[in-house]
Amino acid sequence: MIRYGKGATLRALCSALVVLGWPLQPLLSQVPEGTGQSVPAGARLFGAMGCAGCHAINGVGGAVGPDLGRSSEPQSYYGFAAAMWNHLPQMVQRMDELGIERPRLDPWEAGDLVAFLVWLDYFDPPGEIDRGRQLFSEKKCVLCHQVAGVGGVAGPDLDFLSQYGSPIQIATAMWNHGPAMTEAMRAQGIRRPSFTGSELTDVIAYLESWSTAMPTGPLYVLPGRPEEGRQRFVDRGCSQCHGVEGETGMVAPGLGRMGRHESLIDFAAAMWNKAPTMLDAIQRSGISVPRLSAGDMADLVAYLSSVRYFGEAGSATRGARRVRDKGCLECHSVGGRGGASAGDLAQAQGLDSPAAVMAALWNHAAMTGREAGQAQVPWPTFSTVEMADLSAYLQMLGHEN
């Protein structure tokens, strides 16, 4: 997916530097400690791990695998994880042929690689820049915010949106700044606009087309920690209005097991659209309006995923069936039941996040892909939904350890 404008030029330049082996460290700061992911770290890993030997980015790099800067079909996170797993035997074989040492990934590194690919627009369908420019004007955003030196000064300049360019961070900003923006619009007699998910995507595409910097801080693109999110849901007062497990008598709609299929960008739009109603309810209840960090929001997203608010969340129950039906138990056991040659999944440590699961899948295949080929053992493949279920199941086992 090719972007046009300053953002596209910067992406192509930085991507080419990575592929060509130029060090980015002198130019980019390290990511702080926390639960976010680092685009610069992911870029460095992409080069250091030899990914560029097979994959190009915007035409620069190998041609064995797809160009990850020009994906014709956007991937979801689980779609990417499934594609990676399904093609790992071929990738491992090709790395052997090219003399590339097969690296191991830890969860942090897996998350950073995902952040880099998200920054390249590999995962989400890009918005329409021209439509976003039109909406930015129609929705009166331009009266308070500047882009490329044009617009009002009541709100911050939005040329540097790439620093916050993920739906989790957009949702955080919309929640935290919603009250102040509402008051500013009321003072100026501006009708508060609403957004659909697709409209917000287009506006973000327009803003990102003028972004002039690669994100140097943490980029929150993956769900965080469900248990932390559950605690935050209580501590921040969300549970006083929203139920999650079918509770009745709540002020606001329940957020669990309702057949909702919100994407993260739809969720960000909902945080904006519903903010006035939520803030009124909070104030009437005598609760102080909570301020959320991007890490808080990532954890809340993880918790809402675990209670099935988001449509792409997998099912641990179905995941257990996938493990059985895909033949995983011929080699792996679970709680002592099954094969013994590849270890007990119930004893796996640290499988408590999507990034940790992706790292484990990569490391597992890097160790066994070649052996499976030599033994002519069929390699099981997974669809996007099946991978989401498998990930949910493995994370459930990880949380039990």
Side-chain angles (χ1 to χ4, degrees), residues 48-260:
M49 289 174 57
C51 306
C54 295
H55 294 281
I57 294 178
N58 295 318
V60 180
V64 177
D67 187 324
L68 298 183
R70 296 176 178 172
S71 174
S72 59
E73 295 184 4
Q75 299 279 354
S76 69
Y77 170 78
Y78 291 115
F80 171 70
M84 181 195 73
W85 170 266
N86 295 340
H87 293 96
L88 270 172
Q90 296 94 315
M91 284 196 284
V92 168
Q93 180 181 357
R94 185 58 174 159
M95 291 173 75
D96 286 344
E97 293 171 354
L98 295 173
I100 299 173
E101 183 179 355
R102 293 171 297 187
R104 290 180 60 85
L105 286 174
D106 62 33
W108 276 102
E109 291 169 334
D112 290 342
L113 280 171
V114 169
F116 177 54
L117 293 175
V118 165
W119 187 69
L120 292 172
D121 301 326
Y122 183 76
F123 284 96
D124 295 312
E128 297 181 10
I129 293 174
D130 290 341
R131 177 61 177 155
R133 182 186 298 109
Q134 180 181 350
L135 287 167
F136 193 77
S137 177
E138 290 178 353
K139 301 283 187 178
K140 309 301 182 184
C141 309
V142 70
L143 296 181
C144 295
H145 297 283
Q146 284 196 3
V147 176
V150 178
V153 295
D157 183 321
L158 297 181
D159 283 350
F160 296 93
L161 188 73
S162 64
Q163 295 292 323
Y164 311 98
S166 81
I168 287 175
Q169 285 163 303
I170 295 297
T172 305
M174 287 191 151
W175 173 258
N176 290 333
H177 299 297
M181 286 192 284
T182 297
E183 286 303 315
M185 285 184 283
R186 183 179 293 123
Q188 297 187 48
I190 301 172
R191 182 179 179 181
R192 193 179 190 279
S194 61
F195 292 91
T196 65
S198 62
E199 287 175 336
L200 188 56
T201 298
D202 291 340
V203 170
I204 291 171
Y206 166 57
L207 298 177
E208 285 191 331
S209 72
W210 287 99
S211 295
T212 57
M214 185 183 195
T216 56
L219 186 67
Y220 292 82
V221 297
L222 294 177
R225 302 155 296 188
E227 287 304 311
E228 292 289 333
R230 183 187 64 79
Q231 190 61 47
R232 281 169 172 72
F233 193 81
V234 174
D235 293 343
R236 300 299 193 272
C238 309
S239 61
Q240 296 189 40
C241 296
H242 293 281
V244 294
E245 295 292 345
E247 296 95 333
T248 59
M250 290 294 179
V251 175
L255 300 180
R257 306 187 187 282
M258 290 181 60
R260 292 177 179 268

Side-chain angles (χ1 to χ4, degrees), residues 195-387:
F195 292 91
T196 65
S198 62
E199 287 175 336
L200 188 56
T201 298
D202 291 340
V203 170
I204 291 171
Y206 166 57
L207 298 177
E208 285 191 331
S209 72
W210 287 99
S211 295
T212 57
M214 185 183 195
T216 56
L219 186 67
Y220 292 82
V221 297
L222 294 177
R225 302 155 296 188
E227 287 304 311
E228 292 289 333
R230 183 187 64 79
Q231 190 61 47
R232 281 169 172 72
F233 193 81
V234 174
D235 293 343
R236 300 299 193 272
C238 309
S239 61
Q240 296 189 40
C241 296
H242 293 281
V244 294
E245 295 292 345
E247 296 95 333
T248 59
M250 290 294 179
V251 175
L255 300 180
R257 306 187 187 282
M258 290 181 60
R260 292 177 179 268
H261 297 284
E262 302 275 10
S263 69
L264 276 173
I265 199 67
D266 290 330
F267 177 64
M271 292 291 285
W272 169 261
N273 295 336
K274 298 176 182 179
T277 301
M278 288 193 288
L279 291 171
D280 286 345
I282 289 172
Q283 291 168 353
R284 287 197 305 270
S285 300
I287 306 170
S288 59
V289 178
R291 187 172 180 84
L292 301 173
S293 69
D296 292 336
M297 187 65 76
D299 291 340
L300 284 169
V301 166
Y303 174 57
L304 292 177
S305 294
S306 73
V307 297
R308 304 303 304 283
Y309 176 84
F310 293 103
E312 67 177 14
S315 161
T317 301
R318 289 200 308 265
R321 293 199 298 269
R322 309 288 190 202
V323 166
R324 180 196 64 206
D325 296 343
K326 295 288 183 177
C328 305
L329 296 181
E330 292 184 17
C331 298
H332 291 280
S333 60
V334 177
R337 297 181 179 181
S341 62
D344 192 325
L345 295 176
Q347 300 302 315
Q349 300 293 316
L351 298 182
D352 57 356
S353 71
V357 171
M358 188 174 80
L361 292 174
W362 168 265
N363 295 335
H364 173 73
M367 291 185 294
T368 64
R370 183 192 219 174
E371 290 79 1
Q374 291 174 344
Q376 297 184 336
V377 175
W379 187 261
T381 59
F382 291 84
S383 67
T384 298
V385 172
E386 290 170 341
M387 180 56 69

